[in-house]
């Protein structure tokens, strides 16, 4: 686990770790060179090759760092001594990853120089954690590019993983920290990547599940997958990326939907705490996302003739001002100690299956292949109940139906690997279509509140332009009503895919 820290906080964090260990740390200077082929073949295979020099000795290391399946906080690692500073394809443990053809093309890409203070912790009997305070720099010598290293690294050597999170939470009480899912290698590869290359937002991908695995194990995999997507999108949110905000918010909603789906099997207090903290984060991201939709969808799709050019310009400027403030608030939220504490506690909860101590979670010991059908049946029943008298429903009732459809969709996609993909796909596609249709209604509903809060040099003109825009979209929604009712009817007539689990 890596925890990014401000350089000025490292001395206090080091003192705190030394107090925990009741001993001083061991200093070391580490110089590491990272190698790959010019076309990044190792990285494409999810591997990182490093040769580290320490006190005149060299160690060759291969890590499964770039592999998505390794997870943001877990990595495979193999290392052994070698004779010199160049990679050794004949090394018995690590050389097997290279191969003769690839080894001939290896070149140095970047290097790290780190002053490390290493401290051994044993917070509880039978547990050993290697803590390191790292100060240094990542550099690309030929290009002059680089960035500083200022972090605390915690590595569990022996014992229960809960201790790792507990130490991190203790350190968070000393200084503001944030989880850093990127390794030094990943940061280095970003530096050598072409400057024009955009960092893609991380989308949720359903984890691999087997029908025979326990509900505990399945919930653990889904929960950690959602949290890793939150972490992976954090850098984009800091850069004010609209897609980063959207995908982080989706990951939060996905996790809340899963907790809701499994709520009868989880301790009430634990589930409520987790859901409330996730709601807090979702609410912090919500205004930025709503304003993105308002600007990129409602304003952009309206015909130019609808609003006079001057008023349209004033409206767009007012929205832009609100967006800047909303993004500043979102960035402040993910930079807060509350956000880091929430992630650490949720990761601890899922990693250790913290709900198991409560009798209410006994059902989660059953195979997920049996539990999933019950979970999805409950979600489908809510959809059916909230679909009653759809033609005569008020906007708030349709909003509740949209939430029910979203929860069913997210639960279906999270558990999709338990079932035949050809049966899951059409059902989820219909759910998504309905969610999008009702989402347009929700976007217009939210737009009323956005317009009411807009202000500027000519507030009256801005609000008038906003009202005209919203009214135009409301008129368009009436044309979609027949197809919306038809799609809902088709969904309710579809055979649930979970009646036939994958063997």
């Amino acid at each position: 686990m890596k925890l990014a820290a401000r350089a000025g906080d490292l001395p206090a964090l080091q003192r705190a770790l030394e107090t925990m260990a009741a001993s001083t740390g061991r200093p070391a200077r580490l110089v590491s060179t990272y190698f790959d082929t010019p076309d990044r073949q190792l990285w494409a295979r999810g591997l990182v090759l490093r040769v580290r020099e320490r006190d005149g000795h060299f160690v060759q290391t291969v890590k499964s760092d770039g592999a998505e399946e390794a997870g943001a906080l877990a990595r495979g690692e193999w290392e052994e001594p070698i004779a010199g500073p160049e990679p050794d394809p004949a090394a018995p443990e690590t050389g097997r990853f290279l191969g003769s053809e690839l080894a001939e093309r290896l070149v140095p890409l970047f290097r790290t120089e780190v002053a490390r203070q290493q401290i051994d912790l044993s917070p509880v009997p039978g547990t050993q954690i290697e803590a390191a305070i790292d100060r240094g720099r990542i550099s690309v010598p030929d290009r002059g590019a680089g960035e500083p290293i200022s972090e605390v690294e915690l590595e569990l050597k022996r014992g229960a993983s809960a201790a790792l999170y507990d130490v991190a939470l203790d350190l968070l009480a000393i200084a503001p920290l944030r989880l850093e899912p990127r390794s030094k290698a990943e940061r280095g590869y970003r530096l050598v990547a072409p400057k024009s290359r955009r960092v893609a937002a991380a989308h949720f991908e359903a984890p691999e599940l087997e029908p025979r695995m326990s509900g505990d194990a399945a919930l653990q995999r889904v929960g950690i997958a959602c949290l890793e997507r939150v972490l992976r999108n954090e850098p984009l949110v800091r850069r004010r990326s609209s897609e980063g905000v959207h995908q982080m918010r989706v990951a939060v909603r996905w996790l809340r939907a899963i907790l809701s789906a499994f709520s009868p099997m989880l301790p009430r207090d634990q589930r409520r705490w987790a859901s409330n903290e996730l709601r807090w984060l979702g609410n912090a991201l919500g205004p930025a996302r709503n304003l993105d939709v308002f600007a990129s969808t409602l304003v952009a799709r309206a015909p130019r003739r609808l609003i006079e050019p001057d008023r349209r310009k004033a409206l767009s400027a007012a929205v832009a001002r609100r967006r800047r403030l909303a993004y500043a608030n979102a960035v402040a939220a993910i930079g807060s100690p509350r956000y880091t504490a929430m992630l650490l506690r949720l990761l601890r909860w899922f990693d250790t299956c913290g709900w198991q101590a409560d009798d209410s979670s006994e059902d989660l010991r059953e195979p997920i292949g049996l539990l999933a059908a019950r979970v999805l049946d409950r979600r489908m029943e809510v959809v059916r109940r909230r679909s009653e008298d759809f033609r005569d429903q008020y906007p708030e009732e349709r909003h509740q139906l949209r939430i029910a459809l979203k929860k069913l969709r997210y639960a279906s996609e999270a558990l999709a690997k338990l079932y035949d993909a050809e049966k899951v796909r059409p059902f989820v596609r219909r759910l998504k279509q309905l969610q999008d249709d009702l989402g347009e209604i929700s976007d217009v509903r939210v737009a009323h509140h956005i317009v009411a809060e807009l202000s500027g040099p000519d507030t009256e003109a801005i609000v008038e332009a906003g009202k005209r825009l919203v009214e135009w979209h409301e008129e368009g929604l009436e044309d979609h009503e027949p197809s919306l009712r038809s799609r809902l009817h088709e969904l309710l007539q579809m055979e649930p895919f979970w009646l036939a689990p994958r063997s």
Side-chain angles (χ1 to χ4, degrees):
M1 180 188 299
K2 292 181 185 294
L3 298 163
R6 298 178 305 197
D9 290 328
L10 291 181
L13 292 166
Q14 181 176 324
R15 288 193 297 271
L17 286 168
E18 289 174 343
T19 299
M20 293 180 201
S23 66
T24 57
R26 303 185 305 278
R29 182 177 180 274
L30 309 174
V31 179
S32 302
T33 303
Y34 291 77
F35 294 84
D36 204 336
T37 62
D39 55 353
R40 318 289 193 265
Q41 280 295 307
L42 280 172
W43 185 250
R45 299 177 189 180
L47 297 173
V48 168
L49 172 63
R50 177 189 77 196
V51 176
R52 170 173 287 174
E53 179 188 357
R54 180 174 179 175
D55 300 328
H57 299 282
F58 299 91
V59 174
Q60 180 166 282
T61 302
V62 172
K63 293 187 178 186
S64 58
D65 201 332
E68 279 293 316
E69 62 270 18
L73 301 176
R75 300 177 174 93
E77 183 173 332
W78 303 264
E79 65 179 26
E80 61 193 319
I82 58 174
E86 298 296 322
D88 182 0
E93 183 67 19
T94 55
R96 60 193 170 96
F97 293 98
L98 305 180
S100 57
E101 181 181 348
L102 188 146
E104 292 175 357
R105 301 175 57 221
L106 293 174
V107 295
L109 289 186
F110 55 91
R111 60 186 278 154
T112 61
E113 297 184 49
V114 174
R116 168 170 290 182
Q117 198 75 13
Q118 190 169 304
I119 304 158
D120 295 327
L121 305 176
S122 183
V124 293
T127 299
Q128 182 183 348
I129 295 173
E130 184 182 280
I133 301 284
D134 283 353
R135 303 171 177 85
R137 188 167 182 79
I138 305 172
S139 60
V140 185
D142 294 340
R143 291 173 45 184
E147 61 183 45
I149 296 169
S150 178
E151 62 191 24
V152 180
E153 185 174 309
L154 302 174
E155 184 174 351
L156 184 68
K157 294 294 189 180
R158 186 175 70 250
S161 61
L164 202 66
Y165 299 104
D166 293 340
V167 170
L169 286 164
D170 287 342
L171 293 176
L172 184 61
I174 304 298
L177 300 167
R178 62 179 177 83
L179 277 162
E180 175 55 272
R182 301 173 304 163
S183 65
K184 295 179 180 69
E186 186 173 348
R187 293 171 63 188
Y189 272 96
R190 292 286 183 207
L191 287 172
V192 299
K195 291 298 181 184
S196 60
R197 180 183 173 187
R198 295 180 60 186
V199 178
H203 294 247
F204 179 83
E205 296 176 12
E208 291 294 335
L209 301 177
E210 294 294 334
R212 296 181 185 86
M213 74 192 310
S214 70
D216 284 323
L219 183 58
Q220 179 189 56
R221 285 194 185 183
V222 173
I224 290 177
C226 289
L227 292 171
E228 288 184 345
R229 284 305 174 269
V230 170
L231 275 166
R232 287 293 180 185
N233 284 300
E234 188 181 308
L236 280 86
V237 176
R238 293 179 184 279
R239 298 174 194 173
R240 275 69 171 177
S241 159
S242 59
E243 186 62 14
V245 167
H246 177 50
Q247 292 304 326
M248 181 183 282
R249 193 162 175 248
V250 167
V252 168
R253 287 187 164 187
W254 217 305
L255 187 48
R256 288 191 65 203
I258 293 302
L259 293 177
S260 175
F262 283 87
S263 60
M265 306 172 218
L266 293 169
R268 180 178 297 180
D269 290 345
Q270 295 180 26
R271 177 183 57 79
R272 282 184 174 175
W273 171 85
S275 184
N276 287 340
E277 286 298 285
L278 289 165
R279 183 186 293 113
W280 163 78
L281 178 56
N283 289 342
L285 301 169
R289 176 59 184 168
N290 291 339
L291 286 159
D292 282 336
V293 171
F294 187 92
S296 64
T297 302
L298 299 188
V299 176
R301 290 181 182 175
R304 305 295 298 182
R305 66 180 183 278
L306 181 69
I307 305 170
E308 295 88 339
D310 288 348
R311 291 194 172 189
R312 188 185 188 103
K313 184 177 179 180
L315 175 64
S316 296
V319 172
R321 286 192 294 272
R322 295 287 299 180
R323 285 174 81 188
R324 285 194 293 271
L325 177 61
Y327 269 89
N329 291 336
V331 171
I334 66 170
S336 68
R338 178 177 181 176
Y339 169 79
T340 301
M342 178 198 76
L343 286 178
L344 287 169
R345 291 191 175 109
L346 284 172
L347 284 166
R348 185 189 195 279
W349 193 54
F350 282 108
D351 196 7
T352 65
C353 298
W355 52 82
Q356 288 181 338
D358 194 285
D359 291 340
S360 63
S361 66
E362 188 174 346
D363 285 352
L364 285 170
R365 313 299 188 271
E366 295 183 36
I368 188 60
L370 299 176
L371 292 177
R374 302 210 300 261
V375 165
L376 294 170
D377 271 338
R378 278 199 305 271
R379 294 264 66 92
M380 187 68 203
E381 180 56 33
V382 175
V383 168
R384 293 185 187 282
R385 191 167 63 248
R386 292 188 174 165
S387 299
E388 294 175 359
D389 302 319
F390 178 77
R391 183 190 297 267
D392 300 320
Q393 283 184 353
Y394 291 105
E396 179 57 35
E397 292 173 305
R398 292 192 171 189
H399 178 63
Q400 293 302 316
L401 170 60
R402 178 172 174 260
I403 291 174
L405 288 165
K406 187 182 298 186
K407 288 183 175 181
L408 175 58
R409 176 194 165 194
Y410 288 167
S412 297
E413 290 183 319
L415 301 171
K417 295 297 179 70
L418 295 169
Y419 303 96
D420 183 348
E422 294 302 316
K423 294 182 178 179
V424 175
R425 196 174 294 117
F427 191 89
V428 170
R429 183 166 55 246
R430 176 63 71 222
L431 282 173
K432 187 177 185 304
Q433 288 172 337
L434 277 167
Q435 184 184 331
D436 290 344
D437 291 343
L438 291 169
E440 290 183 21
I441 298 174
S442 178
D443 291 341
V444 174
R445 184 166 164 264
V446 170
H448 280 284
H449 301 289
I450 291 176
V451 169
E453 295 173 351
L454 292 176
S455 62
D458 190 354
T459 298
E460 185 177 345
I462 292 169
V463 172
E464 179 60 32
K467 287 181 178 178
R468 191 177 302 176
L469 175 76
V470 173
E471 288 170 0
W472 183 83
H473 281 283
E474 285 179 328
E475 292 170 3
L477 290 176
E478 296 176 6
D479 298 335
H480 298 159
E481 184 69 13
S483 64
L484 178 56
R485 289 200 295 265
S486 175
R487 286 175 178 172
L488 180 59
H489 177 75
E490 290 172 8
L491 173 73
L492 297 176
Q493 298 303 310
M494 292 181 77
E495 181 178 73
F497 64 82
W498 54 87
L499 297 181
R502 179 167 54 86
S503 58

